[in-house]
Every structure is written in structure tokens, then in C-alpha cells.
Amino acid sequence: MPIIKNHYINEPYTKIHNSVVNDSKLSFKALGLYLYLRSKPENWKFTEEMIAKHHKEGITAIRSAIKELEEAGYLKREFKYLEIKGREVIYNIYETSSLENLS
């Protein structure tokens, strides 16, 4: 049976809640994207195309992972309409599913 030994360095690191890792509703693709997004600094600017360009998954896979994270409650997109630029999209990434507290 395989054994995992994690080897950590002091910094930088990304810490995520175990409930995300153990959520059986998420594919590894969506979990990987979640981890990637959580590792980025506050107000990091990106495009879906940029993520796809720097990783093996194509734009379709990135978009489906985003949709999966939204449906599971870990990501919410907020659209802010700007007079000059049109609109800005803000990705709100949550430590635990925002659907857990809904009755």
C-alpha cells in the first residue's frame, strides 16, 4: 500500500481546507484549478485563456472546471459593470462550499 510523505518548505505555500480535497463532487481537474487559483495573490489578474496557455488543459477544460467549482459552491463569479471598460469579472474563491449552509 502506498505511503505519502509530504516534504514542506517554510514559504510560500498554499493552505486549503480538507473538505475541498475530500469533496467527492469535484473532479481532479476542478480540484487542481481550485488549488491553482487559491495559490495566487489577492487581485491577481488573469484570463481563462492565459491559464490554458500555461498548463496542459485546453480552454474547454478550464471553463468546465470553473463551472464545476461554481456548481459545487467553491467559486462565485461577480460581474461589475464599468462605464469605460465594459465589465470586470471577480472570481470569489471560498475555503469551503458556500452551498453547505443552505437549507
Side-chain angles (χ1 to χ4, degrees):
M1 183 175 295
I3 297 173
I4 293 177
K5 290 188 177 183
N6 289 306
H7 300 269
Y8 298 103
I9 57 174
N10 291 337
E11 286 187 31
Y13 63 91
T14 300
K15 184 177 176 180
I16 62 170
H17 200 279
N18 283 337
S19 64
V20 181
V21 176
N22 296 313
D23 191 333
S24 61
K25 294 185 301 285
L26 292 180
S27 67
F28 281 115
K29 172 181 64 179
L31 183 59
L33 181 62
Y34 175 86
L35 181 61
Y36 179 74
L37 294 174
R38 291 287 294 179
S39 75
K40 298 304 176 193
E42 191 75 15
N43 297 316
W44 177 65
K45 296 196 183 282
F46 68 97
T47 64
E48 295 165 347
E49 291 81 5
M50 185 181 87
I51 294 172
K53 185 177 175 182
H54 290 102
H55 295 278
K56 282 182 127 177
E57 282 70 31
I59 189 69
T60 304
I62 299 301
R63 287 181 178 150
S64 71
I66 289 169
K67 183 178 179 186
E68 191 177 328
L69 290 170
E70 277 185 302
E71 290 172 354
Y74 294 105
L75 182 149
K76 283 189 182 175
R77 283 186 272 194
E78 179 183 333
F79 298 95
K80 217 178 193 180
Y81 291 93
L82 308 170
E83 220 173 279
I84 298 172
K85 295 182 192 175
R87 74 174 186 178
E88 176 180 64
V89 182
I90 299 167
Y91 282 58
N92 295 289
I93 312 293
Y94 298 97
E95 285 187 322
T96 58
S97 174
S98 61
L99 302 179
E100 289 176 2
N101 299 323
L102 297 179
S103 302

